[in-house]
C-alpha cells in the first residue's frame, strides 16, 4: 500500500513539474516573442520611414522640375525647355503636347502619326486637372513599361496642353531592389489599384499584389497606410512582417 501511495505521489509530482515547466516555457516564449516583435516593429518603423522619405523626396524633385517646365514652356518650345528638362532630371524621354495635337519631344524620332492627346499621361492629366504620376503604360516606341510625371500647361486658367517626363519602371525596380531593411527582406512599390509598380523580381511588376500574398488585397494595402503595426503575411512560403509607410506617390 505504501508503495502504491509513493508511486502515485511520484506520478503527481512529476506531472506538476512537467506542467510547471511547460507553463514556464510557454510564458517565456510569449514574453520573448512579444519583446522581439516590439524590437522588430521599432526597427521597421525607422527603416520604412527612412525609405519612404527618400522616395518622397525623389518624387517631389521630379515633380517640381516638370511643374516648372509646364509653367514656362511656350508652343513650339522656342526656349528648348523639353530638352533642358530631360538633361536636368535625367529622364529617358520628355514631351510637351498641346491640345491641337502639336508636340515637342526630346527623342529624335517619334512614331509616325504620334498624337500626344491620345497618350495615357495626357488623358489622365486632363481628367485630373492637376499634376499627376500616371498609371503604368507601354512606351509608344519601345513598348517598355513607363510611368510619367505629368503637369498641365495652364494659361489664364485654361488647359493648353501637358508636359510629360517619363521614368522607366525598370529603373524604379533597380532603386527598390536596393532596399534591404534586413538581409532576408525586400521592398516593393504598389499602386493605389493594388498592382505592383516596382519589385526586385521583374516577373511581379505590373501584377496584382495578391500574387505575392492573398492577404495583400487593395483594401488591406490601403488600410495598412494608416496602421502603426506590421501585418503578418506569408511571402514565398515564409512568414513575414509587412509594413506600408505613408507616402506621396
Amino acid at each position: 500500500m505504501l508503495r502504491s501511495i509513493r508511486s502515485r505521489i511520484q506520478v503527481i509530482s512529476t506531472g506538476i513539474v512537467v506542467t510547471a515547466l511547460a507553463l514556464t516555457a510557454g510564458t517565456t516564449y510569449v514574453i520573448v516573442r512579444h519583446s522581439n516583435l516590439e524590437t522588430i516593429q521599432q526597427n521597421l518603423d525607422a527603416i520604412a520611414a527612412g525609405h519612404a522619405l527618400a522616395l518622397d523626396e525623389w518624387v517631389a524633385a521630379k515633380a517640381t522640375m516638370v511643374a516648372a517646365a509646364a509653367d514656362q514652356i511656350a508652343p513650339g518650345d522656342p526656349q528648348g525647355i523639353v530638352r533642358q528638362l530631360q538633361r536636368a532630371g535625367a529622364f529617358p524621354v520628355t514631351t510637351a503636347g498641346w491640345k491641337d495635337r502639336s508636340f515637342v519631344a526630346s527623342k529624335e524620332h517619334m512614331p509616325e502619326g504620334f498624337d500626344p492627346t491620345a497618350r495615357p499621361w495626357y488623358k489622365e492629366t486632363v481628367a485630373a486637372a492637376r499634376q499627376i504620376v500616371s498609371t503604368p503604360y507601354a512606351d509608344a516606341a519601345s513598348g517598355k513599361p513607363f510611368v510619367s510625371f505629368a503637369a498641365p500647361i495652364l494659361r489664364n486658367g485654361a488647359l493648353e496642353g501637358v508636359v510629360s517626363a517619363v521614368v522607366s519602371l525598370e529603373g524604379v525596380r533597380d532603386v527598390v531592389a536596393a532596399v534591404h531593411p534586413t538581409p532576408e527582406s525586400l521592398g516593393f512599390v504598389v499602386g493605389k489599384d493594388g498592382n505592383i509598380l516596382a519589385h526586385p523580381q521583374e516577373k511581379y511588376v505590373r501584377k496584382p499584389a495578391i500574387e505575392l500574398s492573398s492577404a495583400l488585397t487593395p483594401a488591406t494595402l490601403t488600410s495598412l497606410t494608416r496602421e502603426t503595426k506590421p501585418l503578418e503575411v506569408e511571402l514565398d512560403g515564409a512568414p513575414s512582417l509587412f509594413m506600408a509607410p505613408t507616402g506621396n506617390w
Side-chain angles (χ1 to χ4, degrees), residues 33 37 44 186 188 209-217 220-221 223-224 229-244:
R33 184 176 186 276
L37 285 175
L44 280 175
L186 56 85
F188 54 92
I210 56 174
E211 290 196 10
L212 294 176
S213 170
S214 58
L216 300 181
T217 64
T220 298
L221 291 169
S223 66
L224 277 173
K229 293 182 179 181
L231 174 70
E232 293 190 46
V233 300
E234 192 172 281
L235 297 179
D236 293 329
S240 305
L241 293 177
F242 183 83
M243 175 168 280

Side-chain angles (χ1 to χ4, degrees), residues 119-162:
R119 301 303 297 157
W121 49 264
Y122 192 102
K123 292 180 177 180
E124 290 182 29
T125 305
V126 171
R130 58 176 175 79
Q131 187 169 11
I132 65 161
V133 178
S134 73
T135 55
Y137 64 91
D139 177 60
S142 66
K144 293 183 178 180
F146 283 92
V147 293
S148 283
F149 288 82
I153 301 172
L154 299 173
R155 300 294 180 264
N156 298 319
L159 191 144
E160 298 294 328
V162 175

Side-chain angles (χ1 to χ4, degrees), residues 80-219:
I81 289 175
V82 164
R83 289 191 179 277
Q84 293 175 33
L85 175 62
Q86 181 196 27
R87 290 192 293 268
F91 295 106
V93 183
T94 51
T95 308
W98 284 268
K99 61 184 181 181
D100 63 1
R101 300 183 181 179
S102 63
F103 68 91
V104 176
S106 62
K107 293 179 70 172
E108 293 290 342
H109 303 288
M110 294 294 283
E112 186 177 350
F114 179 80
D115 179 1
T117 65
R119 301 303 297 157
W121 49 264
Y122 192 102
K123 292 180 177 180
E124 290 182 29
T125 305
V126 171
R130 58 176 175 79
Q131 187 169 11
I132 65 161
V133 178
S134 73
T135 55
Y137 64 91
D139 177 60
S142 66
K144 293 183 178 180
F146 283 92
V147 293
S148 283
F149 288 82
I153 301 172
L154 299 173
R155 300 294 180 264
N156 298 319
L159 191 144
E160 298 294 328
V162 175
V163 171
S164 164
V166 307
V167 175
S168 169
L169 284 182
E170 294 178 354
V172 177
R173 186 190 69 214
D174 293 339
V175 173
V176 172
V179 177
H180 287 293
T182 68
E184 300 300 324
S185 63
L186 56 85
F188 54 92
V189 178
V190 183
K192 292 181 179 179
D193 58 0
N195 290 332
I196 298 170
L197 299 179
H199 191 283
Q201 297 183 51
E202 186 177 0
K203 65 180 181 179
Y204 290 122
V205 176
R206 301 175 72 185
K207 299 290 181 64
I210 56 174
E211 290 196 10
L212 294 176
S213 170
S214 58
L216 300 181
T217 64

